[in-house]
Each structure stands twice: as structure tokens, then as C-alpha cells.
Amino acid sequence: MKTSGTGSSLINDDRRQRKMADIAQALQASPADVAALRRMAISEGGLLTDEMRCQVWPRLLNVPPNILEQEPETVERDNNKDYNQVLLDVQRSLRRFPPGMPDEQREGLQEELIDIILRVLKRNPQLHYYQGYHDIVVTFLLVVGERLATALVEKLSTHHLRDFMDPTMDNTKHILNYLMPIIERVKPEVHDFMQQAEVGTVFALSWLITWFGHVLADFRHVVRLYDFFLACHPLMPIYFAAVIVLHREEEVLECECDMAMVHHLLSQIPQDLPYETLISRAGDLFVQFPPSELAREAAWRDCMATTTFKDFDLASTQQRPDSVLHHRRRRQLQQQQQQQQQREVAERSKVARPSVTRRFVRLAVMGLTVALGAAALAVVNTALEWAPKLDLFP
């Protein structure tokens, strides 16, 4: 099942035709010009149509074209440890299918969705299913069909999504720890407000582990983001989460400085976001503050957030971050001494930072949002430097 013309209205007809020709030329090169395809996926409008995605997404993930010739193996559901949970999640995924789709067609796709998930897990026993994984898989199923979706999701699961599929949430928690350092470098006042509210990063958990598929109602926006994420470093979704928060700076700062209130505000993601602008800004921030620069602080936050893992663990199993927040609220009296010690350590860390870093932050805030020209190239180059380690490219 395909969605027609996804993304085609984002740019005018002349530019759209030129871009379609450029994508076709990159695909026809021998070997295919993957770097050019990445630039096309990142730049305005993304890959424009699902027909193009069927051709380009496999190239971005280094999945061989002959994969469609292979007959998918039969999936055994009886006595499968993941089947019951997958079935429950898929049954709750009605809103992820196009409105007005006949029930028979939707039910057939849901069966294929279950098969894809169980097939990938069977082939890769080191992977562990998590709630939200099906939101990613259904996006690929709707765009490229069952056979190709199986291959793409398997590659994605063993690379980009690998940290989410561990037995524990330790690595997922660590990735979320990159969020606040990005915000702090761009808007220290937003960072400080969120720290004072003690809101944490649970609000962005479903964004990250579903690549925003669970929280965005318009399928066009979902696949546009998938174009972007597939073309970039695996940590790009956390940069995009940061730019959403930064885009809502005024709303955040006007909110009551209370954990539950700020969490509620941030978890209700707007549906009218300026996606192309935010994609451009996320690319810029990745260039300005690469993961290597943030890694030490993210690790430091791992050590500091001694109670956070329980919150993430509960949020993943219960899917109710608000209840987690209320439990934390009731524990706060017992935790005040510990939190005070954490704040003192944080203050000492801020004082220890060299002044040149502050000057760089001020420069970065001065409207350095380009139209993903040089920024896109830098993101692509970084992805190309990173990817061979994971054998994503030929």
C-alpha cells in the first residue's frame, strides 16, 4: 500500500521536477551515488514520493535490490514469547492506517505487521521487542510493502534502533541524556527552567523510540522525518527533539515551573510544526555541537540521574509517564538532600567550564540557521564517516 505524492506539495513544481531528475540520476549511477541520495533526503521536501522512497531507502541502508526476489519465511506464532505483546500493540495501531481504509485491507496489513516484527526478532535473538517498535515498522510497511519492509526494518533494528532493543533501557536513557546539553548550548535559560522544574526527559521518550511516528498524526510528516533520519547519524532524532523544545521556548518559559505542568506541555507535541525549518535547524545543531562534543556531559548525566532509570523503566512498561511523575512527586521529600547534592555538583561543573565555551554558545545562538547547504554536506560527511563502522554502505 502506498501513500500518493507524499511530500510533493512542500516545494514548487519546477524545483520538484529538478529534484526528481537529480534523484533518478543518482540512482542510475554505477554504483549509485549514495552521498547525493543522502543530500536529497535531507534537503527541502525530502524524497518527495513513496515511489522514490521504495528505491532510495534501501540504498540509504545498504539493502541489496534483489531482496524482493526472496520469499519471506513463515513465522511461527504459537509459543512465541513476543507474540501476545506484539498482537496487543498492533491491535491498538488503528490510527496509524489511512482513514477510510477498508477493514479487510487494514486487517491484512496488521497481519503482515505482526509477521514482520516476529520475523525480525526470530532472525536476531539478541534484539528485544519494545512498545513503540511497531510504530516504526508500520511506517515502512505502508511505504514499501511487506518484503522490502522486512529487510529495511531488520537492518534498521541492528543499527539505528539497536540501543532501544537491549534487555534494559540503559542505552535509551543514555541517548535521552543528549537532549539537555543541546538545549543548554542554544538556550541556557530554557535549560535552566527545565532543570528547576525537574521535568527530566521522559516526555521525549515516545518521540525517540518511535522516530515520532507515534505522536504525529499526519503520515506525510512522519515519512519526511524518516527520509531525514535514514540519511543521517543515528542520534539525529534526539537533535530533532531538542529543536522542537527550542521552537516552543516562549510556551515553556511561560509555563508554571512545576514538573507535572511542564511535562504535560512538552508531551503534547503540536501538529503544525514548521518541519522543514526544524529539520534545517537540527542539521545545523548537529554540525555545531556534534555527539562527540556532548558525549562526556551525557555520560555525566548518567551518573547524576540516579533515580531516572526507574522512571524510564516504568514509562516503557506502563506507557503512563504522568503516573511516573506523580510517584516521583511523592518521593521528593525523601530525596531533597540528594537533589541538593546534585545541584551543588552541577554548579561546580558549570563554574569549571572554560569561558571560551560560553562565547561559542553565544555565537551559536545568533541565528545560524542555514538552508542546509553546508550544514547538509557536513551532516552527510559525518554520516559517511560513521557508517562504515556499521557496514551500512558498500
mmCIF file of all heavy atoms in Angstrom, residues 106 127 141 210 286 347 374:
data_model
loop_
_atom_site.group_PDB
_atom_site.id
_atom_site.type_symbol
_atom_site.label_atom_id
_atom_site.label_comp_id
_atom_site.label_asym_id
_atom_site.label_seq_id
_atom_site.Cartn_x
_atom_site.Cartn_y
_atom_site.Cartn_z
ATOM 1 N N ARG A 106 -7.064 -3.224 6.006
ATOM 2 C CA ARG A 106 -6.313 -2.872 7.219
ATOM 3 C C ARG A 106 -5.961 -4.114 8.025
ATOM 4 O O ARG A 106 -4.829 -4.256 8.504
ATOM 5 C CB ARG A 106 -7.125 -1.898 8.080
ATOM 6 C CG ARG A 106 -6.471 -1.597 9.429
ATOM 7 C CD ARG A 106 -7.341 -0.741 10.291
ATOM 8 N NE ARG A 106 -8.700 -1.231 10.415
ATOM 9 C CZ ARG A 106 -9.060 -2.260 11.171
ATOM 10 N NH1 ARG A 106 -8.142 -2.943 11.851
ATOM 11 N NH2 ARG A 106 -10.325 -2.643 11.245
ATOM 12 N N LEU A 127 17.922 -9.157 19.820
ATOM 13 C CA LEU A 127 17.040 -7.995 19.873
ATOM 14 C C LEU A 127 15.835 -8.282 20.766
ATOM 15 O O LEU A 127 15.301 -9.384 20.756
ATOM 16 C CB LEU A 127 16.559 -7.628 18.466
ATOM 17 C CG LEU A 127 17.627 -7.295 17.429
ATOM 18 C CD1 LEU A 127 16.979 -6.973 16.087
ATOM 19 C CD2 LEU A 127 18.508 -6.131 17.887
ATOM 20 N N LEU A 141 6.075 -0.573 6.413
ATOM 21 C CA LEU A 141 5.108 -1.438 5.733
ATOM 22 C C LEU A 141 4.219 -0.634 4.797
ATOM 23 O O LEU A 141 3.990 -1.040 3.639
ATOM 24 C CB LEU A 141 4.253 -2.164 6.776
ATOM 25 C CG LEU A 141 3.078 -2.992 6.246
ATOM 26 C CD1 LEU A 141 3.568 -4.115 5.336
ATOM 27 C CD2 LEU A 141 2.252 -3.568 7.402
ATOM 28 N N THR A 210 10.044 5.884 18.667
ATOM 29 C CA THR A 210 9.179 5.637 17.500
ATOM 30 C C THR A 210 9.546 6.528 16.323
ATOM 31 O O THR A 210 8.839 6.516 15.324
ATOM 32 C CB THR A 210 7.695 5.869 17.841
ATOM 33 O OG1 THR A 210 7.456 7.260 18.054
ATOM 34 C CG2 THR A 210 7.284 5.097 19.083
ATOM 35 N N PHE A 286 23.537 19.745 14.799
ATOM 36 C CA PHE A 286 24.397 18.570 14.739
ATOM 37 C C PHE A 286 25.811 18.970 14.320
ATOM 38 O O PHE A 286 26.797 18.454 14.837
ATOM 39 C CB PHE A 286 23.832 17.541 13.767
ATOM 40 C CG PHE A 286 24.607 16.254 13.735
ATOM 41 C CD1 PHE A 286 24.246 15.196 14.556
ATOM 42 C CD2 PHE A 286 25.692 16.108 12.886
ATOM 43 C CE1 PHE A 286 24.967 14.007 14.536
ATOM 44 C CE2 PHE A 286 26.418 14.932 12.863
ATOM 45 C CZ PHE A 286 26.058 13.871 13.688
ATOM 46 N N GLU A 347 26.523 22.915 39.790
ATOM 47 C CA GLU A 347 27.056 24.273 39.838
ATOM 48 C C GLU A 347 28.564 24.265 39.718
ATOM 49 O O GLU A 347 29.156 25.082 39.028
ATOM 50 C CB GLU A 347 26.623 24.964 41.140
ATOM 51 C CG GLU A 347 25.155 25.332 41.185
ATOM 52 C CD GLU A 347 24.766 26.266 40.046
ATOM 53 O OE1 GLU A 347 25.547 27.181 39.731
ATOM 54 O OE2 GLU A 347 23.685 26.058 39.460
ATOM 55 N N ALA A 374 25.754 23.981 3.371
ATOM 56 C CA ALA A 374 26.967 23.470 4.001
ATOM 57 C C ALA A 374 26.630 22.545 5.155
ATOM 58 O O ALA A 374 27.304 21.541 5.389
ATOM 59 C CB ALA A 374 27.820 24.641 4.505
#
